[in-house]
Amino acid sequence: MELIGDLPARPLDPAACFNQHGDPSDDGVSARSFRGPVAVVLPAGGCGERMGLSTPKQFCKLLDRPLISYTIHAFERIKWIEAVIVVVAEQHVELMKSIIQKYNHEKTQWCVGGLTRHRSIFNGLSVFVDDKFMECHLTKPKVVIIHDAVRPFVNEDILLKIATAANDHGAAGAIRPLVSTVIATNSEHFLDHSLERSKYRASEMPQAFLFDTIYKAYQKCTEYDFEYGTECLHLVLSYCNTQAKLIEGPPTLWKVTYKQDLFAAESLIKETLSQNVCVITDVDQEALQLGHCLKKMLMTQHMDVEVISAEYGKKKLCIPHVSSQESYNIIIIGNTELQEKQEVIDVIANSSMTLLYPMVLILVYISLPESTPFSKKLDEPSAIRRLAKEAKHRNILVYGLLVNYTKDSEELNESLENMCFISKSLMKDRNSALTGQLLVV
């Protein structure tokens, strides 16, 4: 994890269309479709004082990518969301513009925020109706979702429920159970009283509103509201008499607030990326056996594994399939020439799979008893390092594994267990310092 630097890019991923029927949720909100566009406003003008960093937390980098880009992508990948407005402080406009461009956030536009959260949100809403923003050519949405730029793990299910409830009731918001009991202190800092935790909930994001309702509420806001207010749901209740439908949200709605939250967020991202792997083998019997044995072992670790067997001359046919599955881990098993592996890397890089997240590519070499020992092929380790160095610039992390293949079942099983453990660790850690290394298992 590091602060802002050079940024790659990534096209949008497909997602389920909003206009579909879903199953009723536990709280009675049905995922019905509705007519009218949906937009998102992301206030991102905070300075991150509680984190104690010189760079605002929304621009801190996780896996070489700014946190705010993860949040934007969570919305852009959903087809029924038509536009995302990021509201930033004036001094960060150029940085935000570079992020939008380099990560190919095609649905996203920016505007300058105000000195407080409510002023920034009002500016973001005004983009759709104020004459001074007309060059944006944005359609006024029927429903607008307001979310925090530093809550990157929002999923389509909760967004669908919140947006649908807002369409039906005028306003809706996510809530979570309180983790700690709320207490009140007296003037001498002694306990005065406590609240019964089971009767209260924490207000979270996302929140959604009929656009005309929330915009009307902001037009009626007082200076006190703009200066000290924080709760959008309270504004529509006070000024539009609109009661918000409250929906229980998932645990992943937590907000990156403190420095340790950055490490937790990065760990969750790595965990998610490591869950799927495509194992590609050549047609040799040993490679096929290793591939299917590895699949069984990785599946015991609750991983989704697919094995594809093909000659390397046809390997390009595998890549679009892997891309459609959003698998950011590929294991290639077989003693083919490095040139053929280079062609696979080229196909991966050109498929746009690596423009958002770093891709892990593990090259597994098989050492057979009757073959020339791999250790005597002095050019191979240096060639792997050269290959990995070039691939690293394309956001592909290349690692090498050397597996001793033997007919002794006990020794072979030990090698397979080591290969499984090391492969999983490489996919989980995504340690760029180890790229180009040949690990013997």
Side-chain angles (χ1 to χ4, degrees), residues 361-412:
L361 177 60
I362 301 175
L363 307 177
V364 178
Y365 297 87
I366 303 173
S367 179
L368 300 171
E370 64 276 10
S371 64
T372 302
F374 195 88
S375 59
K376 292 185 178 180
K377 301 179 180 179
L378 299 179
D379 59 325
E380 290 290 344
S382 60
I384 294 174
R385 286 193 293 271
R386 289 194 301 271
L387 185 71
K389 183 177 180 180
E390 187 273 336
K392 191 174 180 180
H393 292 299
R394 306 168 81 175
N395 212 22
I396 303 173
L397 306 178
V398 177
Y399 309 95
L401 293 184
L402 177 61
V403 179
N404 290 315
Y405 189 92
T406 173
K407 293 183 179 180
D408 186 292
S409 58
E410 185 174 342
E411 291 183 7
L412 181 59

Side-chain angles (χ1 to χ4, degrees), residues 161-386:
K161 292 176 181 177
I162 295 291
T164 302
N167 181 70
D168 293 342
H169 305 286
I175 56 173
R176 289 287 301 159
L178 291 176
V179 176
S180 302
T181 299
V182 178
I183 62 174
T185 61
N186 59 25
S187 59
E188 297 177 344
H189 300 290
F190 287 97
L191 176 66
D192 185 83
H193 67 276
S194 62
L195 301 179
E196 186 177 341
R197 189 172 62 183
S198 62
K199 292 184 177 180
Y200 297 88
R201 293 292 183 270
S203 178
E204 305 285 358
M205 289 290 176
Q207 295 175 356
F209 308 85
L210 290 174
F211 181 88
D212 290 339
T213 299
I214 185 64
Y215 192 70
K216 179 181 178 182
Y218 271 108
Q219 288 178 309
K220 293 184 176 183
C221 274
T222 65
E223 285 300 313
Y224 184 89
D225 293 324
F226 277 121
E227 193 68 28
Y228 301 105
T230 58
E231 181 56 74
C232 298
L233 299 178
H234 185 262
L235 293 182
V236 295
L237 179 61
S238 299
Y239 295 114
C240 301
N241 197 29
T242 299
Q243 288 187 311
K245 179 70 175 179
L246 302 179
I247 298 174
E248 193 86 9
T252 52
L253 292 181
W254 56 277
K255 181 180 180 181
V256 175
T257 304
Y258 300 102
K259 191 172 182 179
Q260 60 266 31
D261 294 333
L262 288 172
F263 296 98
E266 184 170 83
S267 178
L268 182 56
I269 293 169
K270 287 181 177 180
E271 181 68 31
T272 302
L273 291 178
S274 66
Q275 292 306 303
N276 300 286
V277 58
C278 179
V279 179
I280 303 175
T281 76
D282 61 26
V283 294
D284 292 339
Q285 180 181 355
E286 296 83 4
L288 290 170
Q289 182 182 6
L290 289 178
H292 287 284
C293 289
L294 180 62
K295 175 181 179 178
K296 291 180 180 179
M297 290 185 174
L298 290 175
M299 289 183 68
T300 64
Q301 305 296 315
H302 309 291
M303 295 180 64
D304 185 8
V305 186
E306 182 172 12
V307 176
I308 300 174
S309 176
E311 297 182 15
Y312 273 80
K314 301 178 181 179
K315 200 61 65 185
K316 294 180 181 180
L317 300 177
C318 305
I319 303 303
H321 176 72
V322 175
S323 178
S324 68
Q325 299 299 313
E326 288 194 345
S327 177
Y328 290 93
N329 309 281
I330 293 181
I331 300 176
I332 298 178
I333 303 177
N335 297 336
T336 56
E337 297 296 327
L338 279 174
Q339 177 58 38
E340 293 174 316
K341 292 181 172 63
Q342 178 66 64
E343 292 175 0
V344 174
I345 290 176
D346 292 339
V347 173
I348 295 172
N350 293 333
S351 70
S352 299
M353 293 175 61
T354 63
L355 298 179
L356 188 61
Y357 300 104
M359 173 75 123
V360 167
L361 177 60
I362 301 175
L363 307 177
V364 178
Y365 297 87
I366 303 173
S367 179
L368 300 171
E370 64 276 10
S371 64
T372 302
F374 195 88
S375 59
K376 292 185 178 180
K377 301 179 180 179
L378 299 179
D379 59 325
E380 290 290 344
S382 60
I384 294 174
R385 286 193 293 271
R386 289 194 301 271

Side-chain angles (χ1 to χ4, degrees), residues 40-56:
V40 178
V41 172
L42 296 178
C47 58
E49 290 180 356
R50 283 177 288 184
M51 191 163 289
L53 297 174
S54 58
T55 299

